[in-house]
Amino acid sequence: MIVIGSGVIGLTTAVRLAETGRRVAVWTRDPAERSTSAVSGGLWWPYRIEPMAKVSDWALRSYDVYAELAADPAATGVRMVSGVQAGVRRSDLGSWADKFDESELRTLAPEELPKGYDAGLRTRVPLIDMPAYLRYLRGRLEAAGGRVEAHEVRSLADVPAATVVHCSGLGARELAGDEQMRPIQGQLVLVDVPGVTEWFVGSDWSAAETVYAFPQPYGLVLGGTARDGEWGLEPDPATARAIVDRAAEHIPAVRDARILGHRVGLRPWRPSVRLETERLDDGRLCVHNYGHGGAGVTVAWGCAEEAAGLVV
């Protein structure tokens, strides 16, 4: 069978299929290191994704996998890292939060709250070095007998496989004729600030301008933006300055930090994840698994397992 797409959803789905004995090839126009997944800050947290009733199950299954992978961060790129979600109450979260008791998802006392916030939570969740993790997934796929091939797919009907697993993200707008797919543009700034060991998120996740900081082995990732319908991939200097300024309110060392790079990615948003089967015109099975918005890494394993269950 052929899986279309080499982002975190495509590779995870391919790994799940290959490790259950299927012969799998991943077809991709762009390598994983040029995918939206590679640009992601890598924090496990359900964000800009629906339907929440299913997202909770997908996210928790993925959390369990990442917790296991975090035992070997050098190989997988996955770590369990503590941090603060400012401006959020437990009651604001989905049912996934019920997994965590108060000691694991703790409400901040008033004196602990970051400046400017009237609520907040402290927790420890997976934080993933996405470039390293995508390499790990590819290696795991190849170890299971799968492969990644460079192909530009222009039509699902042209894919020569009895079963097609469609994980093309924003590409589904053309490949599946899905006009509900649209980008949520995110811009990040990578800075050199040694010594930051915890992540911080300090904004309404639904806002167009957010503030967060994720310590990664390659630098401190600052964000960000969530601009609905924006297709551009060039970093905007004014936006970058605003991102740094917002982060500096909470991490002063950021203000004069050396800039290591800029990144822009397009989150593949849809009103609801499409995870279902469809028969192509010639009767072949197509399993769709796309539209994960800003939470592809958060739900990847749960969605992959459900998608694999649809393959006959």
Side-chain angles (χ1 to χ4, degrees):
M1 69 184 61
I2 292 175
V3 176
I4 301 171
S6 67
V8 69
I9 294 295
L11 284 178
T12 306
T13 303
V15 167
R16 184 69 180 83
L17 289 165
E19 290 184 344
T20 55
R22 275 98 164 188
R23 293 175 57 84
V24 179
V26 173
W27 278 19
T28 179
R29 181 186 63 189
D30 300 314
E33 59 268 23
R34 289 172 52 193
S35 68
T36 295
S37 299
V39 178
S40 168
L43 184 73
W44 179 96
W45 197 270
Y47 164 61
R48 285 187 180 266
I49 182 172
E50 294 288 347
M52 190 51 68
K54 299 200 73 171
V55 166
S56 290
D57 289 340
W58 294 333
L60 290 176
R61 175 59 189 134
S62 301
Y63 177 97
D64 290 342
V65 174
Y66 293 133
E68 293 177 5
L69 295 178
D72 190 1
T76 66
V78 182
R79 296 169 292 140
M80 298 296 292
V81 180
S82 297
V84 166
Q85 283 270 357
V88 177
R89 294 174 172 82
R90 181 183 278 266
S91 59
D92 298 327
L93 307 178
S95 61
W96 61 266
D98 296 340
K99 172 186 173 69
F100 304 95
D101 63 28
E102 179 61 25
S103 68
E104 296 170 315
L105 184 63
R106 184 173 65 82
T107 299
L108 295 179
E111 63 273 16
E112 296 178 290
L113 292 171
K115 180 181 177 182
Y117 294 94
D118 61 0
L121 300 167
R122 169 172 284 279
T123 190
R124 186 169 180 262
V125 296
L127 180 62
I128 302 164
D129 173 349
M130 290 304 297
Y133 180 62
L134 291 170
R135 290 192 295 271
Y136 163 78
L137 284 178
R138 178 163 180 164
R140 185 164 162 179
L141 172 64
E142 291 171 345
R147 62 191 188 277
V148 177
E149 301 176 352
H151 290 276
E152 182 170 1
V153 179
R154 298 185 180 276
S155 169
L156 295 177
D158 295 338
V159 179
T163 300
V164 179
V165 183
H166 176 214
C167 306
S168 71
L170 273 177
R173 187 173 175 88
E174 283 72 41
L175 283 182
D178 191 341
E179 295 184 357
Q180 294 188 86
M181 286 296 301
R182 67 175 189 259
I184 305 292
Q185 184 201 63
Q187 182 168 332
L188 307 175
V189 181
L190 184 62
V191 297
D192 183 19
V193 184
V196 177
T197 59
E198 296 193 340
W199 54 267
F200 174 82
V201 176
S203 182
D204 177 359
W205 277 115
S206 65
E209 309 295 328
T210 62
V211 54
Y212 54 81
F214 302 147
Q216 294 286 11
Y218 50 83
L220 186 64
V221 178
L222 306 180
T225 63
R227 294 175 177 168
D228 194 346
E230 291 288 337
W231 286 89
L233 288 170
E234 286 299 316
D236 175 67
T239 297
R241 286 193 296 272
I243 288 170
V244 171
D245 288 344
R246 289 196 298 272
E249 292 295 317
H250 306 284
I251 307 173
V254 162
R255 193 172 303 281
D256 299 317
R258 180 166 61 99
I259 303 293
L260 300 176
H262 301 271
R263 298 177 176 180
V264 178
L266 304 178
R267 305 175 183 94
W269 187 87
R270 192 176 187 273
S272 179
V273 171
R274 188 180 185 192
L275 210 175
E276 63 183 8
T277 60
E278 177 186 18
R279 289 290 172 181
L280 301 177
D281 289 344
D282 59 7
R284 289 179 300 137
L285 180 69
C286 179
V287 177
H288 296 287
N289 184 12
Y290 67 83
H292 302 82
V297 67
T298 300
V299 299
W301 285 99
C303 289
E305 292 182 359
E306 184 167 326
L310 296 176
V311 173
V312 294

